[in-house]
Amino acid sequence: MKFGELELHILSDGTHTEDGGGIFEYFPKDIWSNYKVGDLTPYKTDEHNNIVQAANCLLVKHPQGNVLIETGLHDKTPNYVKYHNIVKKPSLMESMKSAGVKASDIDIVINSHLNPDHAGWNTTYVDGKLKPAFENAKYVIQKKEFRTAVNPGFELKNDYFSVEKDVLPLEDSGSLELVNGEKELLPGIFVIPTPGHTIGHQSVMIKADQKTLLYAADMAALVMHQEKPRCKMAFDVLGREECWRTKKELLYDLAAENSWFTYFYHETSISIGIIYKTTNAKGEIEYKVRKVESQVL
Ligand SMILES: [Zn+2]
């Protein structure tokens, strides 16, 4: 789809499941499991209390290079694949093929953070050794995130269990570009620190032709996280106050005030929406996301 002079391609890396209580923290199950997104109720659980999640990576074809945001699900550890019911139909590489790009065509990879469901295809086995899957790319990660991931301590060890496979081979090959704070990578493509889900989490802002798209990643992964200001994941490393501050500044004070497009990495019912502010019957401010069909962008 066209976005100003850019071309955007949603690249699926299949589906996986995650515990519903973990995704919606203290919100009662009755609310989230019946939550409506359009005509759908996408957060219905299976018998294990799991909900199905997407892994919607995004390819941005920019006149100055190809940018891939997120690399999908880690599938090099059988227990993880089994526990999360990972089904790669299609896989990221198959989706790339459909979009007409090869791994070697990617110039920049952005990982919002280094949990295994966002950095899974960072590397691939070549002759039994792990190498960068995108051999010509720089991998852009916040320095804080990298430092936490390689030295997570007891409390965060599980969150970063796959780092040895997904991230360390990038360091060996000199493919990492660690950034400190906000940075414009190509004209109109910015990474912005959004601490909360992880300490060094970053989101991506894409500006073209007077339009803005916010790739929030796990700052607000699902529609309910965006529409409900207090809705966060139990997996978020930082507390409610910090998560709220991050969401308020970027998602509500900027994106909702200006009706930006927002992108959903994990949402199965929509990939792109517009967030806007409205007032309910009681006169209270509410936030809503309207689904966007790709041709409207
Ligand atoms: Zn995630």
Side-chain angles (χ1 to χ4, degrees):
M1 69 199 83
K2 281 280 184 199
F3 191 69
E5 60 171 354
L6 313 178
E7 212 181 286
L8 307 181
H9 295 264
I10 298 161
L11 303 181
S12 170
D13 193 39
T15 57
H16 60 292
T17 62
E18 189 61 85
D19 179 77
I23 293 172
F24 297 107
E25 205 195 33
Y26 66 93
F27 270 78
K29 181 175 180 182
D30 206 29
I31 291 182
W32 56 257
S33 65
N34 294 310
Y35 200 78
K36 285 256 186 196
V37 179
D39 296 333
L40 304 170
T41 42
Y43 316 136
K44 288 279 179 210
T45 59
D46 64 13
E47 71 273 27
H48 302 291
N49 208 44
N50 287 329
I51 68 169
V52 177
Q53 296 214 297
N56 294 321
C57 309
L58 180 65
L59 170 69
V60 184
K61 288 187 179 172
H62 187 287
Q64 295 181 27
N66 292 317
V67 182
L68 175 65
I69 308 176
E70 314 286 39
T71 63
L73 298 156
H74 175 85
D75 64 353
K76 300 178 182 84
T77 307
N79 275 350
Y80 182 77
V81 173
K82 195 174 163 209
Y83 181 76
H84 289 282
N85 302 295
I86 294 173
V87 181
K88 297 222 177 194
K89 285 182 185 166
S91 71
L92 173 60
M93 290 302 170
E94 288 165 349
S95 299
M96 286 181 64
K97 210 172 172 185
S98 310
V101 285
K102 302 188 294 295
S104 58
D105 296 331
I106 302 298
D107 302 291
I108 297 173
V109 171
I110 301 171
N111 290 135
S112 65
H113 61 297
L114 296 173
N115 287 166
D117 58 326
H118 292 253
W121 266 107
N122 273 5
T123 60
T124 190
Y125 282 104
V126 178
D127 300 329
K129 279 194 170 167
L130 281 168
K131 302 274 183 198
F134 305 96
E135 64 260 44
N136 298 319
K138 279 281 176 201
Y139 288 68
V140 178
I141 297 160
Q142 288 289 324
K143 194 180 277 181
K144 251 186 206 169
E145 181 67 13
F146 178 76
R147 284 192 183 151
T148 309
V150 296
N151 194 8
F154 176 76
E155 206 179 332
L156 300 181
K157 213 167 175 238
N158 279 348
D159 300 36
Y160 293 108
F161 80 87
S162 65
V163 158
E164 212 170 290
K165 290 176 176 164
D166 294 339
V167 183
L168 295 187
L170 308 175
E171 195 181 27
D172 300 340
S173 64
S175 308
L176 284 177
E177 183 181 336
L178 299 179
V179 297
N180 212 349
E182 185 171 327
K183 187 172 181 187
E184 188 170 17
L185 304 177
L186 291 177
I189 301 186
F190 303 80
V191 289
I192 304 167
T194 44
H197 182 66
T198 66
I199 294 162
H201 187 280
Q202 62 184 353
S203 299
V204 186
M205 192 169 69
I206 302 167
K207 286 181 171 293
D209 193 22
Q210 318 285 330
K211 292 181 284 200
T212 305
L213 173 79
L214 175 65
Y215 189 107
D218 283 359
M219 175 184 76
L222 302 175
V223 171
M224 186 168 154
H225 292 123
Q226 295 205 4
E227 291 187 334
K228 299 264 178 221
R230 289 180 191 83
C231 183
K232 63 188 281 299
M233 298 190 212
F235 310 120
D236 294 340
V237 167
L238 297 182
R240 289 181 192 167
E241 194 59 38
E242 290 107 327
C243 289
W244 159 245
R245 204 177 306 131
T246 296
K247 264 172 88 172
K248 182 181 183 308
E249 281 172 11
L250 194 57
L251 193 63
Y252 301 127
D253 289 354
L254 278 172
E257 285 294 333
N258 298 292
S259 300
W260 286 2
F261 295 97
T262 59
Y263 193 88
F264 296 92
Y265 181 68
H266 283 308
E267 180 72 51
T268 53
S269 61
I270 72 172
S271 308
I272 299 178
I274 288 180
I275 185 163
Y276 62 98
K277 191 165 91 170
T278 183
T279 308
N280 68 16
K282 293 184 211 156
E284 300 157 342
I285 288 171
E286 281 188 346
Y287 297 96
K288 293 277 174 207
V289 171
R290 186 169 63 240
K291 184 175 179 171
V292 169
E293 302 302 337
S294 55
Q295 56 271 28
V296 181
L297 276 179

